[in-house]
Amino acid sequence: MRQKEVIGQSMRTTKSARPGSVVYVPMDKSEFRSIIFSEKKKNKIKKIVILIILMIFVIGCCIYAGISYYYSYHFFYGTTINGIDSSNKTAYEVEQEIAGKKDNYTIQVRARMQDPQAITGKDIDYKYVSSGAVLQLLKTQKSWEWIGSLFETKNYMVQEETFFSREKLEEQVNSLNCAKKENQIAPENAYVSFVN
């Protein structure tokens, strides 16, 4: 009889603030572990994603800084100086190209009733002399603005200073056929003539 009383007491419902009876379902330990592990996995995945995003941001900043440093010594993409494509070139490289144009310099001399003659830049020591204008142009460039330069072109004109030997020029002019007295043809005065 005592057992019945004990069993009867355990079957009594307890009073609760919740409506209806509360039923407690026992959980297996393996189910409990999977819930804990899935929460740990979610937290771990979140940390990995945040770490990857931070790494991409840091790498992006490093790349941006590296390219900015590069453009502190090179002209932006789309830059033209005196008709020379100066994209990604240093001031020295641009000046070498300007000087290279001077190597092909010639003076064409034409005289009346004579074949044309030429005086080359090498004959008179014709050279490009750097005034520092190209380097000054590079220094005015703001290297951190390189992204904007990808979408625009810039054309600049700088003064090209040159040097030549005046004595050698006089020698070359005096050696031309048209400069020799025996080869010169005197001009005729204009006159009116009637034909037919």
Side-chain angles (χ1 to χ4, degrees):
M1 184 147 162
R2 232 166 160 43
Q3 266 186 339
K4 281 187 180 180
E5 284 178 20
V6 171
I7 291 172
Q9 286 176 357
S10 65
M11 291 185 103
R12 257 192 269 160
T13 56
T14 57
K15 290 187 179 182
S16 172
R18 291 187 213 171
S21 62
V22 177
V23 179
Y24 293 102
V25 179
M27 287 184 70
D28 189 14
K29 287 183 180 180
S30 62
E31 290 176 15
F32 185 68
R33 284 185 186 150
S34 67
I35 292 170
I36 292 173
F37 286 136
S38 66
E39 285 296 319
K40 284 184 178 178
K41 281 183 182 178
K42 284 181 185 178
N43 288 337
K44 193 172 185 179
I45 290 172
K46 282 181 185 177
K47 286 180 183 178
I48 290 172
V49 168
I50 290 171
L51 204 74
I52 289 172
I53 291 170
L54 279 173
M55 285 174 58
I56 291 171
F57 178 75
V58 168
I59 289 170
C61 287
C62 289
I63 290 171
Y64 179 82
I67 294 173
S68 295
Y69 178 76
Y70 175 82
Y71 279 118
S72 64
Y73 295 100
H74 296 79
F75 285 102
F76 287 145
Y77 179 80
T79 303
T80 305
I81 300 171
N82 291 9
I84 296 171
D85 180 20
S86 305
S87 301
N88 301 319
K89 292 181 182 173
T90 63
Y92 176 77
E93 290 169 336
V94 173
E95 287 190 335
Q96 290 302 310
E97 285 200 37
I98 292 172
K101 286 193 324 185
K102 303 302 178 200
D103 291 342
N104 301 326
Y105 180 79
T106 57
I107 300 171
Q108 194 80 24
V109 181
R110 292 193 176 117
R112 190 179 24 242
M113 301 176 108
Q114 292 185 18
D115 293 332
Q117 288 184 291
I119 299 173
T120 64
K122 291 179 183 174
D123 294 335
I124 59 172
D125 293 337
Y126 188 73
K127 297 175 189 169
Y128 168 75
V129 179
S130 175
S131 64
V134 176
L135 182 61
Q136 193 60 39
L137 194 62
L138 179 62
K139 286 182 179 179
T140 61
Q141 177 177 279
K142 295 179 178 117
S143 61
W144 63 87
E145 294 178 351
W146 63 268
I147 291 178
S149 74
L150 299 174
F151 306 105
E152 63 185 7
T153 57
K154 292 188 177 183
N155 296 313
Y156 299 104
M157 292 298 292
V158 295
Q159 187 173 355
E160 297 177 6
E161 295 189 19
T162 54
F163 166 82
F164 68 93
S165 170
R166 199 173 283 276
E167 295 81 24
K168 287 188 177 183
L169 178 61
E170 285 179 12
E171 286 176 18
Q172 291 296 319
V173 169
N174 291 333
S175 69
L176 293 173
N177 288 337
C178 63
K180 294 178 183 169
K181 201 163 202 154
E182 64 268 12
N183 294 335
Q184 293 179 354
I185 299 170
E188 294 180 17
N189 288 333
Y191 61 92
V192 178
S193 65
F194 293 95
V195 178
N196 296 331

